[in-house]
Every structure is written in structure tokens, then in C-alpha cells.
Amino acid sequence: MFEKILVANRGEIAVRIIRACKELNIRTVAVYSEADANSMHVQLADEAICIGGPPASESYLRIDRIISAAEITDVDAIHPGYGFLAENTHFAEVCDSCNIRFIGPSPRAMQSLDDKAISRALAKKVGVPTPPGSESTVEKEQDALAVAKRIGYPVMIKAVAGGGGRGMRVAHNDISLVKGYHTARSEAEKAFGNSGVYIEKYIENPHHIEIQVLGDNKGHIIHLGERDCSIQRRNQKVVEEAPSPLLEHKFRKLRDKIGKAAVKIAEAARYTSAGTVEFIVDNLGNYYFLEFNKRIQVEHPVTEEVTGIDLVRYQIMLAMGEPLRHSQSDIQIKGHAIECRINAEDPFDDFRPSPGRIEMYFQPGGRGVRVDTHAYAGYTIPSMYDSMIGKLIATGNDRREAMDRMNRALSEYMITGIKSNVSFQQAIMQDPNFRRGVYSTSFIEQLLGGARRELIDEKA
Ligand code: ADP
Ligand code: ADP
Ligand code: MG
């Protein structure tokens, strides 16, 4: 049994991990940057160590300092959360060599899925469809043009190391492809320290559907059904739900197929721990592998709510070497869950981040409502990290009940001193197409076309 775990992250996910540890009677160590001295994860952990200056590159990304903190406090394991070092194979290897368990996939599994091009090749190898595109990374402009000619426009240029919706651009012709190819490479080098890009067909108005998987170190892999994360802004998720209305109504036979495809890829990678296999599904019901997220995901709570399984607790048990306690047939989906990401941003000013001090804070509650957050009244949201301040999750017996409950919960949410996207989330929950479950990844773009006026009126 682990006695002590270091949480190498911040914000709501650090709080989420500390909660899971407390319920397992495991002591916790928080690490924090100088900007996070008053952060909730620091207050909730048993011990806390400052590891450097506010920029992540001086703190949450510093492997040497995190390992030193782990050694000083004598922890058994490190949970990396999401973002930062969560998918860094080198970090997992360093933990291994220091005899500290990395709570995530084995370094070997991480290598098999090291970047997006490698994962894409693995999916292809085991017969899972991928969008038409390049075999691997594209090293020359001429090769980019040749791929586009073969698959046809529009195409997407994607950074192999990209994440969080960044490092992607669409090209509609040779001219924008050549231009996009070079800028994508240099942007990727700057943002991710890796200029590798690949090209795939741009699928228009698709659905984003992802499968939660769990694997143990005995080679057993199961999946926990899907999440629909098609409600996105700039390729970043805004609302997530389980199950997917598309698979419930339009393509009922797809659920089983995509679930099996996800398990197949995870098996090929000999995946251990919790992971997510992301797909896009087009209007005809064709599905394509997108990427493999080798970590806990932001939207994991919706799966927890419909399966009754605590995913972070499971990650810890699996990292201790415990076998899976569930077989595939034990997994039953019950009811419906929706998550709204609550961001410190101004929906009336192009979603500009709105860091600063939260003056008044009251969060919704009541039956079927869950809030995962590190926010509190008097907390100052630093400007150097992402703008997500929490997640509101509503669960119901069916989708309608979950939406009505979410609507009610959003109307209770009170955050003053900063701007938040709560009103925007309400506009989504009340949209007739969302309510019918008819939407694609273009939903928000379309909504903003029509609803912007309404939002502005409300402000006036
Ligand atoms: P999810 O797939 O769970 O929605 P996201 O893709 O939104 O998660 O990423 C979760 C967090 O990790 C976000 O804070 C995002 O900015 C960060 N992140 C993910 N991948 C990368 C990456 N390659 N580089 C930097 N940050 C990343
Ligand atoms: P990230 O690592 O940033 O999460 P993903 O590859 O998962 O990147 O893509 C994020 C989102 O971008 C997808 O959910 C989808 O909306 C859009 N996207 C990515 N690839 C394609 C594609 N080939 N065609 C259409 N949309 C895509
Ligand atoms: Mg993704």
C-alpha cells in the first residue's frame, strides 16, 4: 500500500487527487509555485513544498525539483494529473529510476504511444480506422503537397506533440498548405519543443467521441463507455456528456465497435492505468482514431457518475499493482451526466481570460450536482495558468433530467470579482439543438453566430 503520494499538479485536479488519497488513507504532498501559495491544493495536502517561480517552466515542469521534493518527503508515488508532466515519458522514466511509482501508464506503454503520429501508426497497424493522411511526420514541403494531393482538401496540419486544442491548422488549398506547414512547424517548436507535424484529412462537422479505458499490469483492459465532447471552442472542450446522444439515437451499433477499437489499441500498446482513446465520427457514422490521452482527463467525472467507478482511486490501485476489479460485463451505464467547464473568461469579450480576485463565491449543490474546483471567496486566480476554475457536473436518470438540473445549478452559481463563462454555459444548455442532442464540433461557432446578440442584450 502506498503511504504517501506527491501530487505534481495544481488547481482542481490536484484537489481531486488529494481527495482520492484521503479516502484511501494515503498522506499527500503538494508542490506549488510562488503564484500558488494560497491555492486550495496547498491547504488540503498534509505537506506542501514550494518548487519555484510562477511560470510552469520554473516550477510544475521542473522534473529535478519535483523529484527532490519527492525525495525530501519520502513519498512512494507521484500522481501527475493532466497537462504539465502527465504525458512526459522521460519524467515517468526518472520516477522509475528513483524508485518512485509514477501513477500512470508504464514507461513502455508511454513509448508505444509517444506522440500523435506514433499512436496513429499503431492504430492503423491493428486495423482501427484513422483519417486519411500522412504515414508519419512530414519533413518536407513537397511531401506535404503530395499528401494533400492524394487525400484532397481540406486537410489539417497537426503537431505530433500538440495538446489542449493547440498546434493545429486547417488548409483548403496548396497556398494555405505551404504557408500553414511552415508556421505550424515553427509554432510547434516554440510551444512544445518539437517541430514534428503530420497531415490528415479535415473531417467536416464531426462528433468528438472518446472511450475511457482501464488497464492493469496483468494485461487486462476494459472500457467504461464513451463521452461526447463535441461542444468545443477552438478545438477545446467546453461541455462533455455521457452517454453520447449520437450513439444513443443515430448510430446505436457504433458504441460497441468504437469501444472494441479503443480496447484493441490499448492492448497493442500494453496499456496500464486509466487512459482515453479519442475518435471523431462523421455524419455517415464513419469513425476515425484521433489520439490516445495517456492520463486522467479533465472530463473524467461524467464517466464516474454514470458508471459509479472512481477513476482516480482506480489509477492509484492499478499503480500499486492491483488487478482490475471489474470485467467488461460488470460495467453498466446508468443515467446521464453532463459536465460544464467553468472558466475565468469573458464571453462578451471574445472569451478573453479574466484572472484576478474572486470576491463572492457560492457554488451550486443539491441532489445530482457535483463541483470539482479549487476556487473559494478571496482566492486570486493567477494569470499564468489555464483559465479553468472548476467543473460543474450534473447527473440525472436521463439526459433531460441532467440538462434541467445543470440549468438549475448554473443559475445558482455566483462568482463575483472576475468574469466567468457561466452565462454562456446557460445559453448552451438552453439551445434547442443542444437539448435535442443534435450537434457537432461546429456547434459553438454556429451558436455564436446567432446568440451573440442575445448575450450582449442580456449584458445591457
Ligand atoms: P482533455 O483531453 O481532458 O480535455 P485537454 O486536452 O483540454 O484535456 O488538456 C488538459 C490540460 O492539459 C489542459 O490544461 C491543456 O492545456 C493541457 N495540455 C494537454 N496537452 C498538452 C500539451 N501537449 N502541451 C501543453 N499542455 C497540454
Ligand atoms: P488535442 O491534442 O489538442 O486534444 P486532438 O487531435 O484531440 O488534439 O483534436 C482536438 C479537436 O480538434 C478534436 O476534438 C476535433 O474537434 C478537432 N480535430 C482534430 N483533428 C481533426 C480532423 N482531422 N478533422 C476535423 N476535426 C479535427
Ligand atoms: Mg484530444
Side-chain angles (χ1 to χ4, degrees):
M1 187 65 175
F2 295 144
E3 284 178 10
K4 211 195 242 189
I5 289 175
L6 182 144
V7 182
N9 215 300
R10 64 178 302 283
E12 68 85 19
I13 194 65
V15 170
R16 169 72 185 85
I17 297 162
I18 292 168
R19 284 177 172 155
C21 291
K22 286 190 188 218
E23 291 175 14
L24 285 164
N25 283 312
I26 298 171
R27 279 176 295 140
T28 50
V29 178
V31 292
Y32 64 98
S33 76
E34 284 160 12
D36 275 338
N38 294 321
S39 200
M40 191 50 100
H41 75 289
V42 174
Q43 298 173 53
L44 292 180
D46 296 306
E47 292 169 67
I49 294 190
C50 181
I51 51 168
S57 58
E58 289 173 27
S59 48
Y60 299 107
L61 290 171
R62 283 290 295 263
I63 294 177
D64 54 343
R65 293 188 182 167
I66 291 168
I67 295 290
S68 299
E71 293 195 317
I72 292 167
T73 52
D74 196 23
V75 300
D76 305 300
I78 295 183
H79 196 306
Y82 53 67
F84 299 127
L85 297 170
E87 297 185 83
N88 187 311
T89 307
H90 174 62
F91 179 58
E93 286 165 348
V94 173
C95 290
D96 230 33
S97 68
C98 295
N99 237 332
I100 300 166
R101 206 69 63 84
F102 175 79
I103 302 178
S106 66
R108 191 193 55 204
M110 286 175 93
Q111 274 158 10
S112 321
L113 300 163
D114 203 31
D115 68 33
K116 290 187 179 188
I118 290 170
S119 316
R120 189 180 137 88
L122 182 71
K124 239 172 140 171
K125 201 178 115 194
V126 298
V128 173
T130 55
S134 56
E135 282 303 319
S136 67
T137 52
V138 178
E139 306 296 340
K140 291 199 301 269
E141 184 185 304
Q142 281 314 316
D143 297 344
L145 287 162
V147 172
K149 188 161 181 186
R150 175 165 57 81
I151 65 176
Y153 288 104
V155 302
M156 217 171 190
I157 310 158
K158 299 175 70 171
V160 294
R166 293 178 308 141
M168 255 176 280
R169 55 182 62 219
V170 182
H172 291 273
N173 51 52
D174 285 357
I175 297 170
S176 61
L177 175 66
V178 169
K179 198 166 157 250
Y181 173 73
H182 293 290
T183 33
R185 280 177 72 93
S186 62
E187 279 174 11
E189 177 63 45
K190 262 187 233 141
F192 316 111
N194 180 346
S195 65
V197 297
Y198 64 107
I199 292 177
E200 63 186 27
K201 181 88 184 167
Y202 178 64
I203 312 289
E204 293 183 77
N205 306 324
H207 292 253
H208 173 115
I209 290 180
E210 58 185 36
I211 307 289
Q212 176 71 53
V213 297
L214 286 175
D216 65 19
N217 59 17
K218 314 272 182 308
H220 301 125
I221 306 217
I222 57 169
H223 75 81
L224 275 62
E226 84 280 359
R227 296 186 283 261
D228 195 317
C229 315
S230 304
I231 308 294
Q232 306 181 350
R233 193 180 147 265
R234 297 194 178 154
N235 303 317
Q236 256 184 307
K237 297 160 188 165
V238 175
V239 176
E240 300 99 340
E241 61 180 312
S244 163
L246 185 76
L247 300 194
E248 284 285 283
H249 303 299
K250 199 165 167 198
F251 299 126
R252 295 189 69 98
K253 291 194 183 114
L254 260 190
R255 169 171 294 137
D256 193 46
K257 276 195 197 161
I258 300 183
K260 285 190 170 129
V263 169
K264 213 167 172 185
I265 299 169
E267 281 172 350
R270 295 205 264 169
Y271 195 78
T272 57
S273 189
T276 298
V277 194
E278 297 191 333
F279 296 88
I280 40 181
V281 179
D282 72 13
N283 293 322
L284 301 170
N286 298 305
Y287 64 97
Y288 306 95
F289 168 82
L290 257 196
E291 65 159 342
F292 200 121
N293 290 144
K294 313 177 280 291
R295 53 173 162 89
I296 192 76
Q297 265 187 303
V298 173
E299 59 274 22
H300 74 275
V302 293
T303 298
E304 295 185 324
E305 295 305 321
V306 297
T307 59
I309 289 175
D310 182 328
L311 287 167
V312 176
R313 184 187 179 104
Y314 229 128
Q315 281 189 301
I316 296 169
M317 304 301 285
L318 291 168
M320 291 193 307
E322 290 286 307
L324 284 174
R325 294 263 169 95
H326 296 79
S327 65
Q328 191 61 58
S329 56
D330 295 331
I331 305 301
Q332 298 290 337
I333 308 296
K334 198 167 157 269
H336 198 96
I338 305 176
E339 172 181 280
C340 287
R341 295 193 187 197
I342 306 302
N343 299 331
E345 62 188 16
D346 186 356
F348 304 103
D349 187 10
D350 200 26
F351 298 88
R352 195 211 306 231
S354 177
R357 188 170 189 272
I358 298 176
E359 298 297 336
M360 194 162 66
Y361 182 84
F362 178 80
Q363 73 184 33
R367 185 154 179 267
V369 173
R370 164 175 172 183
V371 182
D372 278 20
T373 184
H374 58 296
Y376 57 89
Y379 172 61
T380 298
I381 301 160
S383 59
M384 60 286 285
Y385 310 114
D386 68 12
S387 58
M388 197 181 73
I389 49 171
K391 305 179 308 204
L392 174 57
I393 302 107
T395 305
N397 290 317
D398 55 27
R399 187 168 187 268
R400 171 175 292 220
E401 193 173 81
M403 287 188 297
D404 291 343
R405 185 163 280 154
M406 179 63 88
N407 236 329
R408 183 271 288 172
L410 284 164
S411 74
E412 289 172 16
Y413 220 139
M414 216 185 293
I415 308 172
T416 70
I418 56 146
K419 301 277 187 356
S420 87
N421 66 340
V422 168
S423 61
F424 183 64
Q425 290 286 16
Q426 280 178 296
I428 295 173
M429 284 307 128
Q430 290 163 14
D431 179 85
N433 287 322
F434 180 81
R435 290 194 67 86
R436 283 166 55 220
V438 179
Y439 56 72
S440 75
T441 57
S442 317
F443 173 85
I444 287 189
E445 227 172 86
Q446 289 160 3
L447 179 70
L448 286 176
R452 173 152 296 196
R453 197 177 311 117
E454 218 171 283
L455 282 168
I456 287 168
D457 285 350
E458 188 185 307
K459 193 186 182 189

